[in-house]
Amino acid sequence: MLQKEYNIKIYSLAGVFQRVLPGKLLMSGVSFSETINAGQGELRIKLNLPITSTLVQYNQIIKVFQSDNENEARCIFTGIVGNLRRASEGGQTYIEVRAVGLASMLTWVYFQYSASYSFSRNQASHLTMKEVADYFETIYPGLLTYTDGVSIETAGGTSNVAFDYTKCFDALQQISETAAQYWWAIDGTGLLHFHPLV
């Protein structure tokens, strides 16, 4: 039977490493959802920490790594801490951390191109996907990445997209809709995927 182990890395919103929280602090399992044409949902974990602890704070980036006796540690979740619940039950204190995935962060940022919120392109969809990802990276560096031709596959043909005052998440949705039979998602490492349906 595989024995899973976890550790948690905390970063500032600017992407500066803060600390590692060992897996032994986990009082609960690690769970979250993942969907195509979006990404990861809410992460909820309980940490065996005093209620006064500041080791995890609002608006910090949290990355959860999982390993087992057959696989080295891999990042399974990247997101931002949005809620901390400090509790004491039965003589034991803990902090429940809730974090949302990167797809949720994309809903915070208006896509801006050349100092304008109006955008229009008539080109292959994968090129426009990369433009949106590159812009998001200027706001939150080091979080969203892609590999050209691998995680973002070439979309055949051209598509016309145009939007005004559109959040990055909605921009990716619109671009994907113009590329028939393609889907997008952001995985636990922060890698943006754009692939044909099979």
Side-chain angles (χ1 to χ4, degrees):
M1 182 175 175
L2 294 179
Q3 183 68 36
K4 293 180 181 178
E5 295 183 358
Y6 298 94
N7 69 37
I8 299 163
K9 294 184 180 180
I10 304 295
Y11 299 78
S12 72
L13 197 53
V16 178
F17 173 76
Q18 303 294 301
R19 64 188 52 85
V20 174
L21 301 177
K24 65 183 181 181
L25 292 177
L26 278 169
M27 299 170 61
S28 63
V30 174
S31 63
F32 50 87
S33 62
E34 288 185 292
T35 58
I36 63 169
N37 296 328
Q40 297 181 308
E42 184 182 62
L43 168 79
R44 285 189 185 190
I45 53 175
K46 287 183 180 179
L47 298 175
N48 184 11
L49 289 172
I51 59 176
T52 55
S53 173
T54 58
L55 293 179
V56 183
Q57 299 176 31
Y58 292 106
N59 288 335
Q60 287 184 319
I61 301 299
I62 184 169
K63 295 188 177 191
V64 180
F65 292 80
Q66 175 185 294
S67 61
D68 56 49
N69 49 355
E70 292 183 0
N71 300 290
E72 294 183 5
R74 63 184 182 91
C75 186
I76 60 169
F77 181 89
T78 300
I80 185 167
V81 176
N83 186 280
L84 296 171
R85 185 171 74 92
R86 302 170 189 276
S88 178
E89 295 176 1
Q92 187 172 26
T93 63
Y94 65 87
I95 297 177
E96 182 183 57
V97 178
R98 295 184 185 184
V100 295
L102 295 181
S104 293
M105 291 180 70
L106 288 166
T107 67
W108 303 350
V109 178
Y110 281 99
F111 179 58
Q112 186 176 1
Y113 183 79
S114 298
S116 172
Y117 288 103
S118 296
F119 178 85
S120 179
R121 280 286 186 275
N122 188 29
Q123 63 184 9
S125 299
H126 72 282
L127 298 176
T128 315
M129 294 288 280
K130 292 191 294 185
E131 286 189 72
V132 175
D134 291 342
Y135 178 73
F136 182 81
E137 267 294 291
T138 67
I139 308 299
Y140 296 109
L143 290 182
L144 187 62
T145 62
Y146 59 83
T147 49
D148 198 12
V150 180
S151 77
I152 294 185
E153 295 187 57
T154 301
T158 61
S159 59
N160 186 29
V161 293
F163 34 78
D164 297 303
Y165 291 96
T166 299
K167 301 287 182 72
C168 288
F169 181 92
D170 296 322
L172 292 180
Q173 287 285 60
Q174 289 182 37
I175 296 162
S176 179
E177 289 167 5
T178 66
Q181 304 299 309
Y182 271 71
W183 62 272
W184 71 276
I186 302 170
D187 70 18
T189 66
L191 190 66
L192 175 62
H193 292 267
F194 184 57
H195 303 290
L197 294 169
V198 293

